[in-house]
Amino acid sequence: MKRTGDAQPPTPTTDGRTERGRQTREKIADAMLSLLDEGQAHFPADKVAERAGVSRRLVFHHFADMTQLAEVAVDRRLAQLAAQIRPVPTDGPRELRVAAVAEQRARILEGLTPARLAIMRLENPSARVQEAVQQMLDFARQRLAQIFALELDPLPEPTRTDLLNGLDAVTTWSAWHHWRSTGLSPDQARHTMAATVHTLLAGAAGIGRTAEQHG
């Protein structure tokens, strides 16, 4: 006999329904991502539902509209890419550090392209998506300052900041998208990124030596 006020644990039926709902929501978001990866520019609910293997009604059961679905899918992709980021050496030969940066940035930025294009097509991206993108940009800049501290730290201001700004510009998505959209393959774009970083670092090193000589 149950006593009044006894706490009852969630029933397996409720837990199972919640888990199935979560899995369905992720399946629908992944369907949207697969369409993004294929370069689709429009995402009618019927097409997303067919790709996810669910009904159109179920799409709108989990998402208020297609804009919300696009934002959830983009947020999911950003999280997936962030999980692929691995530590890059902050000491040792410059050539190895530059190569490591170019390899990782090329891989991440290529995977980021469909999501960034989708964000550009959204009329009013949510604050959550905008914040996630800004966090990635801030983190990428911070990592450059750490990876190339050997080259950056000895430089006087504003040379140091100018160099970091340049390194940031040529290793972020805007530069990558420019190279890829003008016909460079991923390997060619990666090589161009590495060569540009090398050139910036070498040029700044020369400026630093000149400043020391006249200091």
Side-chain angles (χ1 to χ4, degrees):
M1 177 177 173
K2 295 179 181 178
R3 292 177 296 177
T4 302
D6 282 352
Q8 299 298 316
T11 65
T13 300
T14 301
D15 289 345
R17 187 182 301 118
T18 300
E19 177 61 18
R20 286 195 299 274
R22 183 190 66 78
Q23 292 177 357
T24 300
R25 186 178 175 86
E26 290 184 355
K27 183 189 297 184
I28 295 169
D30 285 339
M32 173 70 89
L33 286 176
S34 72
L35 293 171
L36 283 172
D37 291 340
E38 292 172 6
Q40 299 285 337
H42 302 287
F43 313 99
D46 291 340
K47 182 182 292 187
V48 174
E50 180 182 2
R51 180 64 59 91
V54 302
S55 67
R56 186 178 188 276
R57 180 192 63 79
L58 201 56
V59 170
F60 290 111
H61 172 75
H62 287 282
F63 301 95
D65 51 38
M66 296 306 290
T67 297
Q68 184 191 48
L69 171 54
E71 290 179 343
V72 170
V74 167
D75 193 52
R76 184 166 170 78
R77 174 53 51 82
L78 293 177
Q80 292 170 348
L81 292 171
Q84 296 179 26
I85 298 174
R86 298 292 181 267
V88 172
T90 57
D91 55 16
R94 182 191 302 171
E95 292 75 12
L96 295 181
R97 285 179 285 133
V98 171
V101 166
E103 186 282 325
Q104 179 160 270
R105 296 291 171 97
R107 176 167 40 82
I108 297 295
L109 295 175
E110 184 71 8
L112 181 63
T113 293
R116 285 302 303 266
L117 293 176
I119 292 172
M120 291 168 63
R121 289 193 292 268
L122 294 174
E123 292 184 3
N124 296 296
S126 69
R128 183 181 65 177
V129 169
Q130 293 177 332
E131 182 181 0
V133 171
Q134 189 60 51
Q135 286 177 346
M136 289 191 72
L137 291 171
D138 292 344
F139 176 77
R141 181 183 175 90
Q142 180 184 32
R143 287 298 295 142
L144 287 172
Q146 295 168 346
I147 294 165
F148 297 114
L150 291 175
E151 290 78 15
L152 288 164
D153 290 351
L155 297 175
E157 289 292 354
T159 304
R160 181 187 183 281
T161 296
D162 288 343
L163 175 56
L164 183 56
N165 288 340
L167 294 172
D168 191 30
V170 301
T171 57
T172 49
W173 183 78
S174 295
W176 182 261
H177 182 56
H178 170 76
W179 291 326
R180 294 286 284 119
S181 62
T182 53
L184 298 188
S185 69
D187 282 345
Q188 290 172 327
R190 176 181 55 78
H191 185 271
T192 299
M193 180 188 293
T196 306
V197 170
H198 272 301
T199 300
L200 287 172
L201 291 172
I207 293 174
R209 286 192 295 269
T210 299
E212 289 179 358
Q213 292 170 1
H214 292 84

